[in-house]
Amino acid sequence: MQRRKFITGAAAAIALAGAPMLATAGGAHAVDTDKAAGWSSSFNSNSRGWSSVRGSWYRSAGKWRADGQPGYFLSTKHTGVWENFVYQAKVKRDGNGGGTWANALIVRANPGNLRYDYRWLPGYYFQFTNTGYFSVWYMDASGGDAAVKDWTYSSVVENAYWKNMKVVANDGYLSFSINGYSLWSGYDYRLSYGKVGVGFYTASGYWGKLQIDQSSLQTLPGRAKVTPDPSAPIGATVPGGTILRSPK
């Protein structure tokens, strides 16, 4: 599995301007990011804008949810094609076969092209497990994957029952936070826009369920500045995981 080096740190919180668009996902033009746009979903009265990519997603008790399908990555998408944005979803994963299987925010991705396990191609995946690990992955259009950030432990991830996941994408700058604490930030220019969604993997022989309590997206107009979240306590990075699961 090939890996690349990325620039990280607090300085990455300043938005970039004029970075080239090297690739796209979704096959459509992104919205005009010089104008503020976006959406917010609470799921109290409707699930407007959301639809299934794979799995039976439905609204119940103010949540958008699905039961897992063993051996597959089930996911849901929101309408629109987005370039630079702040995207959030508050999620909870139940049943996890030991807790090591991945749950993800998906961005700049193409749900019209799926791998054998139903992951979107290409796309970025910002992931957590119920054992307290997080990771960031890139998938190319042919189904290959590479870790941008390997599985790493944080007590912020383990101790949260509901996880409010947040991804900032601003040209090549990307960041990942959970419950208001920054887990990772860096640069990757391989994808410049695409669709957004949420997904989760259920291992063969196990059951799983994912619920989304609320979600929102707000675009970042040109030259917008991004205020970084405070840094989370970060533990050890553990080798040996895959895009489907953490090693612990």
Side-chain angles (χ1 to χ4, degrees), residues 161-228:
Y161 190 57
W162 282 89
K163 295 173 175 63
N164 188 13
M165 307 172 71
K166 180 172 77 172
V167 170
V168 176
N170 203 356
D171 293 331
Y173 171 72
L174 301 170
S175 72
F176 181 29
S177 300
I178 286 182
N179 289 359
Y181 289 93
S182 176
L183 298 168
W184 174 87
S185 63
Y187 294 95
D188 191 317
Y189 292 91
R190 285 175 285 192
L191 299 172
S192 61
Y193 61 79
K195 290 186 175 292
V196 301
V198 179
F200 68 111
Y201 183 81
T202 302
S204 297
Y206 292 97
W207 69 276
K209 178 174 67 177
L210 189 79
Q211 301 180 75
I212 309 173
D213 180 66
Q214 57 189 23
S215 185
S216 65
L217 183 145
Q218 181 66 46
T219 61
L220 294 171
R223 301 185 181 277
K225 292 184 178 181
V226 179
T227 301

Side-chain angles (χ1 to χ4, degrees), residues 11-237:
I14 304 302
L16 303 179
M21 296 183 187
L22 301 185
T24 64
H29 292 293
V31 298
D32 182 356
T33 53
D34 286 332
K35 299 178 181 178
W39 45 264
S40 180
S41 303
S42 68
F43 305 112
N44 289 325
S45 60
N46 64 70
S47 55
R48 187 175 298 114
W50 290 92
S51 61
S52 171
V53 176
R54 282 292 186 272
S56 298
W57 291 84
Y58 61 98
R59 188 180 63 85
S60 176
K63 309 290 188 292
W64 185 238
R65 60 180 70 191
D67 294 320
Q69 181 178 348
Y72 291 98
F73 181 82
L74 302 189
S75 62
T76 180
K77 66 182 179 181
H78 196 278
T79 56
V81 177
W82 309 95
E83 181 183 349
N84 297 325
F85 50 79
V86 178
Y87 171 46
Q88 302 185 72
K90 183 179 179 182
V91 307
K92 181 165 73 76
R93 171 67 185 267
D94 293 306
N96 206 349
T100 60
W101 301 96
N103 314 281
L105 283 193
I106 313 160
V107 307
R108 291 181 174 173
N110 179 13
N113 182 30
L114 301 180
R115 197 169 73 162
Y116 63 87
D117 57 358
Y118 300 156
R119 282 189 178 260
W120 309 8
L121 306 175
Y124 293 117
Y125 290 77
F126 296 80
Q127 306 196 130
F128 76 86
T129 69
N130 283 351
T131 55
Y133 286 82
F134 71 92
S135 64
V136 181
W137 293 77
Y138 163 77
M139 294 199 72
D140 64 33
S142 64
D145 58 63
V148 178
K149 175 64 176 177
D150 265 329
W151 289 104
T152 302
Y153 177 81
S154 175
S155 58
V156 167
V157 180
E158 184 175 20
N159 294 338
Y161 190 57
W162 282 89
K163 295 173 175 63
N164 188 13
M165 307 172 71
K166 180 172 77 172
V167 170
V168 176
N170 203 356
D171 293 331
Y173 171 72
L174 301 170
S175 72
F176 181 29
S177 300
I178 286 182
N179 289 359
Y181 289 93
S182 176
L183 298 168
W184 174 87
S185 63
Y187 294 95
D188 191 317
Y189 292 91
R190 285 175 285 192
L191 299 172
S192 61
Y193 61 79
K195 290 186 175 292
V196 301
V198 179
F200 68 111
Y201 183 81
T202 302
S204 297
Y206 292 97
W207 69 276
K209 178 174 67 177
L210 189 79
Q211 301 180 75
I212 309 173
D213 180 66
Q214 57 189 23
S215 185
S216 65
L217 183 145
Q218 181 66 46
T219 61
L220 294 171
R223 301 185 181 277
K225 292 184 178 181
V226 179
T227 301
D229 290 324
S231 297
I234 301 298
T237 296

